[in-house]
Amino acid sequence: MTPRPKQIHLAAHFPGVNNTTVWTDPRSRSQIDIDSFVHLARKAEEGLFDFFFLAEGLRLREQGNRIFDLDVVGRPDTFTVLQAIAGVTTRLGLAATINTTFNEPYELAKQFATLDHLSEGRAAWNIVTSPDAFTGENFRRGGFLDYGLRYDRAAAVVSAARRLWDSWGRPPRIDRAAGVFAADEDLAPVDLHDGHVDITGRFEVPRSPQGQPVLLQAGDSSAGREFAAGHAEVIFSRHGTLADGQAFYADVKRRLPAYGRHADDLKILPGVSVVLGDTRQEAEDNARRIARQQVGPQTAIAFLEQVWGTDLSGYDPDGPLPAVDPSPHATITRGRVRHDRDPVAVAAAWRARAETEGLSIRDLVIAETHRQQFVGTADQVADEMNRYVQSDACDGFILVPHLTPGGLDDVIDRVVPRLQDRGVFRTSYEGATLRDLLGSRPAVSFAAVPSGPSAASGPGDPGPAASSTGRRGPVGVRG
């Protein structure tokens, strides 16, 4: 019997605003009207996608004390949007990007448990961190965290949230005649205190349909990969080529056994965009046009200034790169766009590529910032997506449209049926929860998760579930 091919997992990203979105296109609609969210979510559910994915924006970026042009339309509150979408969809998973640096675990645990209840088991948390003090100025914790402490706090916050979700050992055993909502022994008190967490009491939201929401993670560093191996069910990755994807896939999957997990327990889904045409030539022409829309002259100079750290508004976007070296310690950009590598080295590499390939400033920025794309006819795109999955470069894709909200309509109408014809994508929803769609095992009690390899720990990388005290997980849990 021929083995069944790997099944492809698909998710829809509502980007809000980023360097993929072309908000100036006349076909683009509002990034905050409910109709935009409903359109994309319902279309994704029509296409039998696993989940609908919201990014997070905590502060408008500034460059040279001016608002960055990609941020002008903002991002509304994630939980409010997903709660509304829960009411107009029935099977689609609902993934929220929420920061562990500036939020408290008790609030997060309650918000995600509530979303899981309201959606009947479709909630997911994309765990992100931030070392950005500029963003932190709007939050009570400010920018106090050093870069290396991001995963320390993330591990403490996630561990605390999982302890809270686990504290309800079972759903309430309601005995109306006796006037009992839940037995005391089914609801353990929680007492957590470490450098990042202070919680005392019982968690007020009963155990949700999934027990714990699905956890996503987007970090790519060694610490991020180890964190994902211990905690996440999905990684939102960014590796563009087949070879890079295969190397990332193999590295992350090999880390799972140390946590008592199987390769299929963690899905790797890179963010990609799709450009279609009736012929390959038409699709490639469309892709070039969209890339020029995504990186206009002003945006090209803005990206360059983020590396050079100085005002380059006098340069021609269609001309050569600056001959002068960047300022290594300048902070012309404030917000979530950062270039953490040595700017002088980045500039040298960019100059070398521009000279070798004959690229202008704008061409170079397009080449360097471009997201992975599948470009071609619907059949060609379906074949290429399937090749990536069957070659173990990933388990599926998070599709990022350049137009809101209709940017995935053609992909769902034209590519999804071709994946189904190839036997690599579902033809109906099976299972009741997002975990069922992902093929994930039921949520494992936090206390049952192995601590992982001790080699993972080190400066700035405390290892999965480590607290700032160096102990595994939160302390002082009773019950």
Side-chain angles (χ1 to χ4, degrees), residues 141-168:
R141 286 192 175 276
F144 79 100
L145 280 180
D146 290 336
Y147 187 89
L149 294 177
R150 292 180 305 155
Y151 283 106
D152 193 354
R153 176 167 171 81
V157 170
V158 172
S159 299
R162 296 182 72 178
R163 289 287 192 184
L164 291 165
W165 294 323
D166 280 353
S167 66
W168 280 78

PDB file of all heavy atoms in Angstrom, residues 141-168:
ATOM      1  N   ARG A 141       5.637  47.652  33.266  1.00  0.00           N
ATOM      2  CA  ARG A 141       6.960  47.072  33.433  1.00  0.00           C
ATOM      3  C   ARG A 141       8.022  47.811  32.634  1.00  0.00           C
ATOM      4  O   ARG A 141       9.200  47.521  32.756  1.00  0.00           O
ATOM      5  CB  ARG A 141       6.952  45.595  33.033  1.00  0.00           C
ATOM      6  CG  ARG A 141       6.277  44.717  34.050  1.00  0.00           C
ATOM      7  CD  ARG A 141       6.533  43.257  33.795  1.00  0.00           C
ATOM      8  NE  ARG A 141       5.953  42.453  34.864  1.00  0.00           N
ATOM      9  CZ  ARG A 141       6.568  42.224  36.011  1.00  0.00           C
ATOM     10  NH1 ARG A 141       7.768  42.708  36.231  1.00  0.00           N
ATOM     11  NH2 ARG A 141       5.985  41.498  36.953  1.00  0.00           N
ATOM     12  N   GLY A 142       7.592  48.723  31.792  1.00  0.00           N
ATOM     13  CA  GLY A 142       8.547  49.539  31.069  1.00  0.00           C
ATOM     14  C   GLY A 142       9.541  48.729  30.273  1.00  0.00           C
ATOM     15  O   GLY A 142       9.276  47.621  29.848  1.00  0.00           O
ATOM     16  N   GLY A 143      10.721  49.276  30.079  1.00  0.00           N
ATOM     17  CA  GLY A 143      11.733  48.584  29.290  1.00  0.00           C
ATOM     18  C   GLY A 143      12.826  48.020  30.165  1.00  0.00           C
ATOM     19  O   GLY A 143      13.979  47.997  29.778  1.00  0.00           O
ATOM     20  N   PHE A 144      12.440  47.492  31.329  1.00  0.00           N
ATOM     21  CA  PHE A 144      13.451  47.108  32.305  1.00  0.00           C
ATOM     22  C   PHE A 144      14.210  45.858  31.918  1.00  0.00           C
ATOM     23  O   PHE A 144      15.278  45.583  32.446  1.00  0.00           O
ATOM     24  CB  PHE A 144      12.810  46.890  33.680  1.00  0.00           C
ATOM     25  CG  PHE A 144      12.108  45.566  33.820  1.00  0.00           C
ATOM     26  CD1 PHE A 144      12.722  44.506  34.476  1.00  0.00           C
ATOM     27  CD2 PHE A 144      10.851  45.379  33.304  1.00  0.00           C
ATOM     28  CE1 PHE A 144      12.087  43.289  34.607  1.00  0.00           C
ATOM     29  CE2 PHE A 144      10.210  44.167  33.430  1.00  0.00           C
ATOM     30  CZ  PHE A 144      10.823  43.123  34.075  1.00  0.00           C
ATOM     31  N   LEU A 145      13.660  45.043  30.997  1.00  0.00           N
ATOM     32  CA  LEU A 145      14.285  43.761  30.702  1.00  0.00           C
ATOM     33  C   LEU A 145      15.459  43.919  29.740  1.00  0.00           C
ATOM     34  O   LEU A 145      15.325  44.513  28.682  1.00  0.00           O
ATOM     35  CB  LEU A 145      13.269  42.808  30.071  1.00  0.00           C
ATOM     36  CG  LEU A 145      12.319  42.096  31.011  1.00  0.00           C
ATOM     37  CD1 LEU A 145      11.394  41.190  30.219  1.00  0.00           C
ATOM     38  CD2 LEU A 145      13.073  41.303  32.050  1.00  0.00           C
ATOM     39  N   ASP A 146      16.594  43.348  30.114  1.00  0.00           N
ATOM     40  CA  ASP A 146      17.693  43.233  29.176  1.00  0.00           C
ATOM     41  C   ASP A 146      17.314  42.224  28.107  1.00  0.00           C
ATOM     42  O   ASP A 146      16.476  41.348  28.318  1.00  0.00           O
ATOM     43  CB  ASP A 146      18.963  42.763  29.896  1.00  0.00           C
ATOM     44  CG  ASP A 146      19.509  43.834  30.814  1.00  0.00           C
ATOM     45  OD1 ASP A 146      19.211  45.033  30.558  1.00  0.00           O
ATOM     46  OD2 ASP A 146      20.190  43.478  31.784  1.00  0.00           O
ATOM     47  N   TYR A 147      18.003  42.333  26.961  1.00  0.00           N
ATOM     48  CA  TYR A 147      17.705  41.455  25.831  1.00  0.00           C
ATOM     49  C   TYR A 147      17.752  39.981  26.248  1.00  0.00           C
ATOM     50  O   TYR A 147      16.875  39.204  25.904  1.00  0.00           O
ATOM     51  CB  TYR A 147      18.718  41.729  24.719  1.00  0.00           C
ATOM     52  CG  TYR A 147      18.433  41.018  23.425  1.00  0.00           C
ATOM     53  CD1 TYR A 147      17.630  41.619  22.454  1.00  0.00           C
ATOM     54  CD2 TYR A 147      18.951  39.763  23.165  1.00  0.00           C
ATOM     55  CE1 TYR A 147      17.356  40.985  21.266  1.00  0.00           C
ATOM     56  CE2 TYR A 147      18.688  39.116  21.971  1.00  0.00           C
ATOM     57  CZ  TYR A 147      17.895  39.729  21.024  1.00  0.00           C
ATOM     58  OH  TYR A 147      17.636  39.085  19.846  1.00  0.00           O
ATOM     59  N   GLY A 148      18.776  39.610  27.014  1.00  0.00           N
ATOM     60  CA  GLY A 148      18.965  38.210  27.363  1.00  0.00           C
ATOM     61  C   GLY A 148      17.952  37.669  28.349  1.00  0.00           C
ATOM     62  O   GLY A 148      17.888  36.462  28.566  1.00  0.00           O
ATOM     63  N   LEU A 149      17.166  38.536  28.977  1.00  0.00           N
ATOM     64  CA  LEU A 149      16.187  38.085  29.967  1.00  0.00           C
ATOM     65  C   LEU A 149      14.808  37.838  29.379  1.00  0.00           C
ATOM     66  O   LEU A 149      13.890  37.422  30.091  1.00  0.00           O
ATOM     67  CB  LEU A 149      16.065  39.119  31.087  1.00  0.00           C
ATOM     68  CG  LEU A 149      17.311  39.312  31.958  1.00  0.00           C
ATOM     69  CD1 LEU A 149      17.069  40.421  32.974  1.00  0.00           C
ATOM     70  CD2 LEU A 149      17.672  38.010  32.670  1.00  0.00           C
ATOM     71  N   ARG A 150      14.670  38.070  28.064  1.00  0.00           N
ATOM     72  CA  ARG A 150      13.343  37.930  27.466  1.00  0.00           C
ATOM     73  C   ARG A 150      12.782  36.525  27.677  1.00  0.00           C
ATOM     74  O   ARG A 150      11.629  36.352  28.066  1.00  0.00           O
ATOM     75  CB  ARG A 150      13.402  38.201  25.961  1.00  0.00           C
ATOM     76  CG  ARG A 150      13.708  39.627  25.595  1.00  0.00           C
ATOM     77  CD  ARG A 150      13.739  39.772  24.100  1.00  0.00           C
ATOM     78  NE  ARG A 150      14.680  38.840  23.500  1.00  0.00           N
ATOM     79  CZ  ARG A 150      14.604  38.400  22.254  1.00  0.00           C
ATOM     80  NH1 ARG A 150      13.624  38.796  21.477  1.00  0.00           N
ATOM     81  NH2 ARG A 150      15.503  37.554  21.772  1.00  0.00           N
ATOM     82  N   TYR A 151      13.604  35.499  27.395  1.00  0.00           N
ATOM     83  CA  TYR A 151      13.092  34.140  27.500  1.00  0.00           C
ATOM     84  C   TYR A 151      13.007  33.677  28.942  1.00  0.00           C
ATOM     85  O   TYR A 151      12.261  32.748  29.263  1.00  0.00           O
ATOM     86  CB  TYR A 151      13.938  33.194  26.650  1.00  0.00           C
ATOM     87  CG  TYR A 151      13.602  33.317  25.179  1.00  0.00           C
ATOM     88  CD1 TYR A 151      14.455  33.945  24.291  1.00  0.00           C
ATOM     89  CD2 TYR A 151      12.387  32.829  24.696  1.00  0.00           C
ATOM     90  CE1 TYR A 151      14.122  34.082  22.954  1.00  0.00           C
ATOM     91  CE2 TYR A 151      12.044  32.962  23.370  1.00  0.00           C
ATOM     92  CZ  TYR A 151      12.919  33.580  22.489  1.00  0.00           C
ATOM     93  OH  TYR A 151      12.579  33.727  21.176  1.00  0.00           O
ATOM     94  N   ASP A 152      13.779  34.299  29.829  1.00  0.00           N
ATOM     95  CA  ASP A 152      13.642  34.005  31.253  1.00  0.00           C
ATOM     96  C   ASP A 152      12.227  34.362  31.702  1.00  0.00           C
ATOM     97  O   ASP A 152      11.509  33.544  32.301  1.00  0.00           O
ATOM     98  CB  ASP A 152      14.680  34.818  32.028  1.00  0.00           C
ATOM     99  CG  ASP A 152      14.810  34.348  33.464  1.00  0.00           C
ATOM    100  OD1 ASP A 152      14.034  33.475  33.885  1.00  0.00           O
ATOM    101  OD2 ASP A 152      15.693  34.865  34.169  1.00  0.00           O
ATOM    102  N   ARG A 153      11.814  35.598  31.397  1.00  0.00           N
ATOM    103  CA  ARG A 153      10.460  36.001  31.784  1.00  0.00           C
ATOM    104  C   ARG A 153       9.400  35.217  30.995  1.00  0.00           C
ATOM    105  O   ARG A 153       8.379  34.817  31.559  1.00  0.00           O
ATOM    106  CB  ARG A 153      10.251  37.498  31.570  1.00  0.00           C
ATOM    107  CG  ARG A 153       8.831  37.925  31.882  1.00  0.00           C
ATOM    108  CD  ARG A 153       8.619  39.413  31.992  1.00  0.00           C
ATOM    109  NE  ARG A 153       7.204  39.711  32.069  1.00  0.00           N
ATOM    110  CZ  ARG A 153       6.463  39.628  33.174  1.00  0.00           C
ATOM    111  NH1 ARG A 153       7.045  39.269  34.304  1.00  0.00           N
ATOM    112  NH2 ARG A 153       5.177  39.900  33.159  1.00  0.00           N
ATOM    113  N   ALA A 154       9.639  34.984  29.704  1.00  0.00           N
ATOM    114  CA  ALA A 154       8.654  34.240  28.910  1.00  0.00           C
ATOM    115  C   ALA A 154       8.412  32.859  29.508  1.00  0.00           C
ATOM    116  O   ALA A 154       7.262  32.408  29.628  1.00  0.00           O
ATOM    117  CB  ALA A 154       9.131  34.115  27.468  1.00  0.00           C
ATOM    118  N   ALA A 155       9.494  32.180  29.902  1.00  0.00           N
ATOM    119  CA  ALA A 155       9.342  30.848  30.489  1.00  0.00           C
ATOM    120  C   ALA A 155       8.548  30.919  31.786  1.00  0.00           C
ATOM    121  O   ALA A 155       7.678  30.077  32.060  1.00  0.00           O
ATOM    122  CB  ALA A 155      10.716  30.221  30.731  1.00  0.00           C
ATOM    123  N   ALA A 156       8.829  31.940  32.614  1.00  0.00           N
ATOM    124  CA  ALA A 156       8.112  32.077  33.881  1.00  0.00           C
ATOM    125  C   ALA A 156       6.633  32.376  33.642  1.00  0.00           C
ATOM    126  O   ALA A 156       5.753  31.818  34.319  1.00  0.00           O
ATOM    127  CB  ALA A 156       8.750  33.184  34.716  1.00  0.00           C
ATOM    128  N   VAL A 157       6.330  33.243  32.669  1.00  0.00           N
ATOM    129  CA  VAL A 157       4.934  33.616  32.391  1.00  0.00           C
ATOM    130  C   VAL A 157       4.157  32.428  31.830  1.00  0.00           C
ATOM    131  O   VAL A 157       3.036  32.134  32.260  1.00  0.00           O
ATOM    132  CB  VAL A 157       4.895  34.814  31.412  1.00  0.00           C
ATOM    133  CG1 VAL A 157       3.466  35.061  30.921  1.00  0.00           C
ATOM    134  CG2 VAL A 157       5.445  36.064  32.086  1.00  0.00           C
ATOM    135  N   VAL A 158       4.749  31.728  30.858  1.00  0.00           N
ATOM    136  CA  VAL A 158       4.057  30.582  30.262  1.00  0.00           C
ATOM    137  C   VAL A 158       3.872  29.474  31.297  1.00  0.00           C
ATOM    138  O   VAL A 158       2.808  28.853  31.380  1.00  0.00           O
ATOM    139  CB  VAL A 158       4.829  30.067  29.035  1.00  0.00           C
ATOM    140  CG1 VAL A 158       4.220  28.764  28.522  1.00  0.00           C
ATOM    141  CG2 VAL A 158       4.830  31.120  27.933  1.00  0.00           C
ATOM    142  N   SER A 159       4.892  29.229  32.084  1.00  0.00           N
ATOM    143  CA  SER A 159       4.787  28.199  33.112  1.00  0.00           C
ATOM    144  C   SER A 159       3.684  28.529  34.109  1.00  0.00           C
ATOM    145  O   SER A 159       2.899  27.654  34.515  1.00  0.00           O
ATOM    146  CB  SER A 159       6.128  28.048  33.842  1.00  0.00           C
ATOM    147  OG  SER A 159       7.145  27.661  32.955  1.00  0.00           O
ATOM    148  N   ALA A 160       3.608  29.793  34.512  1.00  0.00           N
ATOM    149  CA  ALA A 160       2.568  30.201  35.462  1.00  0.00           C
ATOM    150  C   ALA A 160       1.180  30.042  34.843  1.00  0.00           C
ATOM    151  O   ALA A 160       0.238  29.567  35.498  1.00  0.00           O
ATOM    152  CB  ALA A 160       2.799  31.647  35.890  1.00  0.00           C
ATOM    153  N   ALA A 161       1.036  30.439  33.569  1.00  0.00           N
ATOM    154  CA  ALA A 161      -0.262  30.301  32.905  1.00  0.00           C
ATOM    155  C   ALA A 161      -0.674  28.828  32.841  1.00  0.00           C
ATOM    156  O   ALA A 161      -1.833  28.478  33.105  1.00  0.00           O
ATOM    157  CB  ALA A 161      -0.203  30.904  31.510  1.00  0.00           C
ATOM    158  N   ARG A 162       0.290  27.963  32.535  1.00  0.00           N
ATOM    159  CA  ARG A 162      -0.040  26.536  32.448  1.00  0.00           C
ATOM    160  C   ARG A 162      -0.413  25.973  33.815  1.00  0.00           C
ATOM    161  O   ARG A 162      -1.290  25.109  33.937  1.00  0.00           O
ATOM    162  CB  ARG A 162       1.129  25.769  31.832  1.00  0.00           C
ATOM    163  CG  ARG A 162       1.401  26.196  30.388  1.00  0.00           C
ATOM    164  CD  ARG A 162       2.523  25.411  29.760  1.00  0.00           C
ATOM    165  NE  ARG A 162       2.117  24.041  29.477  1.00  0.00           N
ATOM    166  CZ  ARG A 162       2.909  23.149  28.885  1.00  0.00           C
ATOM    167  NH1 ARG A 162       4.131  23.491  28.519  1.00  0.00           N
ATOM    168  NH2 ARG A 162       2.475  21.935  28.653  1.00  0.00           N
ATOM    169  N   ARG A 163       0.255  26.440  34.861  1.00  0.00           N
ATOM    170  CA  ARG A 163      -0.119  26.006  36.212  1.00  0.00           C
ATOM    171  C   ARG A 163      -1.549  26.429  36.533  1.00  0.00           C
ATOM    172  O   ARG A 163      -2.319  25.676  37.145  1.00  0.00           O
ATOM    173  CB  ARG A 163       0.836  26.626  37.234  1.00  0.00           C
ATOM    174  CG  ARG A 163       2.243  26.057  37.204  1.00  0.00           C
ATOM    175  CD  ARG A 163       2.283  24.658  37.803  1.00  0.00           C
ATOM    176  NE  ARG A 163       3.667  24.228  38.023  1.00  0.00           N
ATOM    177  CZ  ARG A 163       4.007  23.032  38.457  1.00  0.00           C
ATOM    178  NH1 ARG A 163       3.065  22.144  38.742  1.00  0.00           N
ATOM    179  NH2 ARG A 163       5.273  22.710  38.618  1.00  0.00           N
ATOM    180  N   LEU A 164      -1.906  27.644  36.139  1.00  0.00           N
ATOM    181  CA  LEU A 164      -3.264  28.131  36.419  1.00  0.00           C
ATOM    182  C   LEU A 164      -4.291  27.308  35.655  1.00  0.00           C
ATOM    183  O   LEU A 164      -5.323  26.914  36.204  1.00  0.00           O
ATOM    184  CB  LEU A 164      -3.365  29.612  36.036  1.00  0.00           C
ATOM    185  CG  LEU A 164      -2.567  30.568  36.942  1.00  0.00           C
ATOM    186  CD1 LEU A 164      -2.423  31.938  36.281  1.00  0.00           C
ATOM    187  CD2 LEU A 164      -3.247  30.717  38.306  1.00  0.00           C
ATOM    188  N   TRP A 165      -4.025  27.041  34.368  1.00  0.00           N
ATOM    189  CA  TRP A 165      -4.975  26.228  33.591  1.00  0.00           C
ATOM    190  C   TRP A 165      -5.093  24.828  34.181  1.00  0.00           C
ATOM    191  O   TRP A 165      -6.161  24.243  34.201  1.00  0.00           O
ATOM    192  CB  TRP A 165      -4.522  26.144  32.131  1.00  0.00           C
ATOM    193  CG  TRP A 165      -4.565  27.451  31.401  1.00  0.00           C
ATOM    194  CD1 TRP A 165      -5.500  28.444  31.545  1.00  0.00           C
ATOM    195  CD2 TRP A 165      -3.644  27.920  30.410  1.00  0.00           C
ATOM    196  NE1 TRP A 165      -5.202  29.497  30.705  1.00  0.00           N
ATOM    197  CE2 TRP A 165      -4.080  29.200  29.984  1.00  0.00           C
ATOM    198  CE3 TRP A 165      -2.498  27.384  29.818  1.00  0.00           C
ATOM    199  CZ2 TRP A 165      -3.409  29.941  29.019  1.00  0.00           C
ATOM    200  CZ3 TRP A 165      -1.829  28.118  28.849  1.00  0.00           C
ATOM    201  CH2 TRP A 165      -2.277  29.383  28.459  1.00  0.00           C
ATOM    202  N   ASP A 166      -3.961  24.289  34.651  1.00  0.00           N
ATOM    203  CA  ASP A 166      -3.959  22.936  35.216  1.00  0.00           C
ATOM    204  C   ASP A 166      -4.640  22.871  36.578  1.00  0.00           C
ATOM    205  O   ASP A 166      -4.972  21.780  37.058  1.00  0.00           O
ATOM    206  CB  ASP A 166      -2.525  22.430  35.378  1.00  0.00           C
ATOM    207  CG  ASP A 166      -1.942  21.922  34.072  1.00  0.00           C
ATOM    208  OD1 ASP A 166      -2.693  21.843  33.084  1.00  0.00           O
ATOM    209  OD2 ASP A 166      -0.732  21.629  34.032  1.00  0.00           O
ATOM    210  N   SER A 167      -4.816  24.026  37.234  1.00  0.00           N
ATOM    211  CA  SER A 167      -5.301  24.005  38.617  1.00  0.00           C
ATOM    212  C   SER A 167      -6.740  23.504  38.706  1.00  0.00           C
ATOM    213  O   SER A 167      -7.167  23.039  39.756  1.00  0.00           O
ATOM    214  CB  SER A 167      -5.166  25.399  39.248  1.00  0.00           C
ATOM    215  OG  SER A 167      -6.034  26.325  38.613  1.00  0.00           O
ATOM    216  N   TRP A 168      -7.482  23.628  37.577  1.00  0.00           N
ATOM    217  CA  TRP A 168      -8.803  22.983  37.527  1.00  0.00           C
ATOM    218  C   TRP A 168      -8.571  21.563  37.020  1.00  0.00           C
ATOM    219  O   TRP A 168      -8.371  21.338  35.813  1.00  0.00           O
ATOM    220  CB  TRP A 168      -9.736  23.728  36.583  1.00  0.00           C
ATOM    221  CG  TRP A 168     -10.341  24.958  37.193  1.00  0.00           C
ATOM    222  CD1 TRP A 168      -9.745  26.160  37.370  1.00  0.00           C
ATOM    223  CD2 TRP A 168     -11.660  25.083  37.705  1.00  0.00           C
ATOM    224  NE1 TRP A 168     -10.610  27.048  37.969  1.00  0.00           N
ATOM    225  CE2 TRP A 168     -11.807  26.403  38.185  1.00  0.00           C
ATOM    226  CE3 TRP A 168     -12.746  24.206  37.828  1.00  0.00           C
ATOM    227  CZ2 TRP A 168     -12.973  26.871  38.779  1.00  0.00           C
ATOM    228  CZ3 TRP A 168     -13.923  24.678  38.407  1.00  0.00           C
ATOM    229  CH2 TRP A 168     -14.032  25.995  38.880  1.00  0.00           C
TER     230      TRP A 168
END
